[in-house]
Amino acid sequence: MLDLLYSPDDWLALLTLTVLEIVLGIDNIIFLSLAANKLPAARRPTARRIGLILALGMRIVLLSSIAWIISLSQPVITLFGIALSWKDIVFGAGGLFLLTKSTREIHSMVEGEEHASEGKGATMLSVVTQIALFDIVFSIDSVVTAVGMAEHLSIMIAAVVLAMAMMIFASAVVAEFVEKHPTVKMLALSFLLLIGTSLVADAAHFHIPREYLYFAVAFSGLVEFLNQRVASRKARRAKPVP
């Protein structure tokens, strides 16, 4: 790590990789928020912290096993003429999990079942288990990205730790904001549907550039932000003047 003090290229790699890990971690924070909200309000921060700490631990362990990570890309089975590796299988299973989870959450919101079930029927163990399964998929994705962008293990681990520290700091704010605005929550669930679809597509060797997905979500987020501002102004104007 001391070499970072003397190498501008390594500093640039660290900064670039940290930013990329934060961007890739947005879906992680969204899923954490949605999963943790099934718990009573007092236990949600603990669930989010446990989830992010698990994600950090998995990433560091996987980064320390780079040779094994590379071997995950080797085909192990052929299905319908498509050679699948363990990475493809994990991505496919994770994508189907996300699609199922997001669809059920959207159904609950549309049918009005969300508030009736909030804080009920979920335990810390069940929520953390869901988060851990989700972390496995995105830890592999994150580590593959890190290996492709940096040469030194110390830089990869430093970038992941910095990104996770910022995500832990931001997770409570994001969770509160998503929970407070139902339309934002619907956008977040739609984002997870997109991510799930892209994972299944990746597993079938049909790559959808993540930049397209993030642009679509960013544009939708901008539209929603403008809608919120318009609604806020209308609400202020509608207030009776004392």
Side-chain angles (χ1 to χ4, degrees), residues 16 18 43 57 83 91 100 109 124 127 131 138-140 146 150 160 162 174 181 198 204 207 226:
T16 304
T18 300
R43 306 184 71 185
F91 278 15
T100 302
M109 287 188 68
M124 181 68 77
V127 169
I131 292 171
F138 281 91
S139 291
I140 293 176
V160 168
L162 287 172
V174 173
H181 300 88
S198 72
H207 180 63
L226 295 175

Side-chain angles (χ1 to χ4, degrees), residues 116-171:
S117 62
E118 191 172 286
K120 300 177 182 178
T123 64
M124 181 68 77
L125 178 60
S126 66
V127 169
V128 170
T129 300
Q130 287 185 47
I131 292 171
L133 292 173
F134 182 83
D135 283 340
I136 290 172
V137 178
F138 281 91
S139 291
I140 293 176
D141 191 22
S142 172
V143 168
V144 169
T145 301
V147 170
M149 289 193 61
E151 297 179 0
H152 305 296
L153 179 62
S154 57
I155 294 177
M156 300 178 206
I157 293 178
V160 168
V161 171
L162 287 172
M164 280 296 167
M166 297 185 71
M167 287 165 61
I168 289 173
F169 177 77
S171 62

